[in-house]
Amino acid sequence: MRRKQTEKPFGGQITTPPPAPWLDSQSGNAAGATETTIKLKDIRLPEQQPRRYFDPQALKELVSSVKQHGILQPLLVRPVAEGQYELVAGERRYRAATEVGLENVPVVVRELTDDQAFQLALIENLQREDLNPVEETEGILYLLAIRLKCDVESVKSLLYRMKNAHSKGEQHSKDSLNESRRNVSPKLDDEAESGENISSKGDESKKSRRNVSPNLDDEQFPTVKEVFESLGLMNWLSFTTKRLPLLNLPSDILMALRSGQLEYTKAQALARVKDDELRKQLLSEAIAQDWSLSQIKEQIPASSSAESPDSSKASNQIPEQLKNITQRIKKRQLWKEPRKQKQLVNLLNKLEALLGDE
């Protein structure tokens, strides 16, 4: 499954100038890149690797190509010890060279910190044409986590807060515009006053559009925006609205997405089936028979999405249950208990994710 080609500012040139504007500023005295040839046995894989899935067929084809032509594009490595190097980008080529049994490989050597190396590995992975939406979503989250110096869960929470603030700002902007239209007077004597009203409301409208993040997140918002602009894949709002909910899909669907066996739209349709056994059966058949999206929808029984009387009764109890749980959490002050604080944060992030789907 290949994604649509986009105009990418990095252009795959990660072996020469840094592909992201912030990488140079982190280390002003960083040495330039050096092209050379080194022994394959002197290269080790990093502990953190952004890419988790390698298509067996594609890797087999690459091995065949390396047997014929060798490694055409150098690997990107960084020195880690005397005569030893760590791979930064080009793991598929490294694996193919290992399987073929090459003794020497062409490389570009760059002095990089741990964070810089991982960021470059993430960025190289995000530029792949065959990148699946799960890896792309996770890669962007990891990159944001590094840039914002926080964990992935905190990044998700920040993005959802930004989205909710943006939605409120858009609504406020519409309300202000409607009010300004109502304030326009047809009388000539009132033209100046109505003009002032329009101008005033227009200023409020512009201000609300700029207010896309809460005050506490003002310093982080420019960083988030910079990362998305540099990647050139999508903006932060589109990512938050369309991609983050993807990570809430059932694990079996996520696995199929990650391995490229299923497209995102098909995954969304199958995820609506609440019965685990039925969903797994439909997933297996959809992959085996290469069902289209319309075929999948036809195969999903209407009863699987119909609300049963029990579930209807349970839904009526949700507001009261939420109220009781909130009161109990406040009374016990669970956020002050170290063991339960992380669990509470995870639950809050999931609730924010639900709000982000609106």
Side-chain angles (χ1 to χ4, degrees):
M1 181 173 66
R2 290 182 178 272
R3 60 177 175 173
K4 184 178 178 181
Q5 288 272 16
T6 56
E7 195 173 321
K8 301 169 186 175
F10 301 160
Q13 303 300 317
I14 73 161
T15 55
T16 46
W22 60 83
L23 286 179
D24 257 348
S25 61
Q26 291 182 357
S27 179
N29 58 356
T34 303
E35 293 194 32
T36 185
T37 300
I38 62 176
K39 293 184 181 297
L40 186 63
K41 65 180 180 65
D42 292 335
I43 302 175
R44 73 184 192 194
L45 293 174
E47 293 181 7
Q48 284 185 303
Q49 299 180 69
R51 189 170 186 178
R52 303 182 192 177
Y53 176 79
F54 293 86
D55 185 290
Q57 182 58 36
L59 190 58
K60 186 178 179 181
E61 291 172 2
L62 182 59
V63 169
S64 177
S65 173
V66 170
K67 280 181 181 177
Q68 277 190 295
H69 309 292
I71 300 292
L72 301 180
Q73 184 181 357
L75 310 176
L76 177 61
V77 299
R78 64 168 181 152
V80 289
E82 188 66 34
Q84 296 293 307
Y85 302 87
E86 183 178 88
L87 185 69
V88 176
E91 187 175 350
R92 284 181 71 251
R93 280 164 279 151
Y94 172 84
R95 289 183 176 221
T98 301
E99 188 165 334
V100 170
L102 294 183
E103 185 176 349
N104 300 300
V105 290
V107 298
V108 171
V109 183
R110 284 192 61 192
E111 293 282 352
L112 297 165
T113 65
D114 291 346
D115 276 356
Q116 287 175 327
F118 191 51
Q119 285 183 71
L120 280 172
L122 283 168
I123 292 167
E124 192 247 6
N125 194 45
L126 288 169
Q127 299 307 303
R128 285 166 38 212
E129 287 182 23
D130 63 341
L131 187 66
N132 65 66
V134 179
E135 285 186 312
E136 185 175 65
T137 303
E138 291 174 337
I140 291 173
L141 284 174
Y142 285 132
L143 189 57
L144 286 168
I146 292 174
R147 292 285 290 120
L148 295 169
K149 294 181 173 59
C150 62
D151 57 38
V152 169
E153 290 302 318
S154 297
V155 173
K156 291 181 187 177
S157 180
L158 170 66
L159 290 172
Y160 281 125
R161 290 199 305 272
M162 286 168 52
K163 180 184 179 299
N164 293 333
H166 179 273
S167 299
K168 291 176 183 177
E170 287 293 310
Q171 185 58 48
H172 179 71
S173 176
K174 291 177 183 177
D175 293 343
S176 298
L177 184 59
N178 290 334
E179 187 178 344
S180 69
R181 285 172 179 164
R182 287 195 299 269
N183 285 337
V184 174
S185 173
K187 296 180 180 180
L188 294 176
D189 291 342
D190 293 337
E191 282 184 359
E193 185 180 347
S194 67
E196 289 176 4
N197 284 336
I198 294 171
S199 175
S200 175
K201 298 302 178 181
D203 291 341
E204 286 184 33
S205 175
K206 291 177 182 178
K207 185 178 179 181
S208 67
R209 288 193 188 102
R210 290 195 300 268
N211 186 27
V212 294
S213 61
N215 293 334
L216 293 176
D217 301 326
D218 282 348
E219 293 181 6
Q220 294 172 306
F221 177 68
T223 302
V224 172
K225 189 176 179 183
E226 179 188 32
V227 169
F228 280 99
E229 287 178 350
S230 297
L231 289 173
L233 299 172
M234 66 192 82
N235 61 44
W236 69 267
L237 185 57
S238 176
F239 176 80
T240 308
T241 304
K242 299 177 180 178
R243 286 304 180 85
L244 278 190
L246 177 153
L247 299 180
N248 296 324
L249 294 175
S251 58
D252 52 344
I253 300 233
L254 273 179
M255 190 178 299
L257 266 174
R258 191 188 298 282
S259 61
Q261 295 177 297
L262 198 67
E263 294 173 4
Y264 183 31
T265 51
K266 297 178 182 179
Q268 286 179 308
L270 287 169
R272 295 190 182 100
V273 179
K274 302 306 178 185
D275 184 284
D276 289 348
E277 292 303 317
L278 177 59
R279 186 185 65 248
K280 289 176 182 178
Q281 179 187 339
L282 290 172
L283 174 61
S284 177
E285 292 181 19
I287 293 172
Q289 300 181 38
D290 194 22
W291 284 345
S292 66
L293 178 59
S294 59
Q295 286 176 312
I296 289 174
K297 289 180 177 179
E298 288 172 4
Q299 294 293 330
I300 297 175
S303 59
S304 67
S305 58
E307 189 177 41
S308 65
D310 289 341
S311 63
S312 179
K313 182 180 178 181
S315 66
N316 292 332
Q317 297 173 348
I318 289 176
E320 188 63 28
Q321 194 175 6
L322 279 172
K323 182 180 177 181
N324 291 337
I325 290 174
T326 303
Q327 289 175 345
R328 289 167 61 191
I329 289 174
K330 288 181 177 179
K331 185 176 180 180
R332 288 188 54 184
Q333 296 186 325
L334 287 182
W335 56 87
K336 292 185 178 180
E337 299 180 30
R339 291 183 180 180
K340 296 183 179 180
Q341 186 184 61
K342 189 173 182 180
Q343 294 178 22
L344 184 59
V345 169
N346 287 335
L347 288 172
L348 289 172
N349 286 336
K350 288 179 180 179
L351 288 173
E352 284 184 321
L354 290 175
L355 291 171
D357 289 343
E358 292 179 344

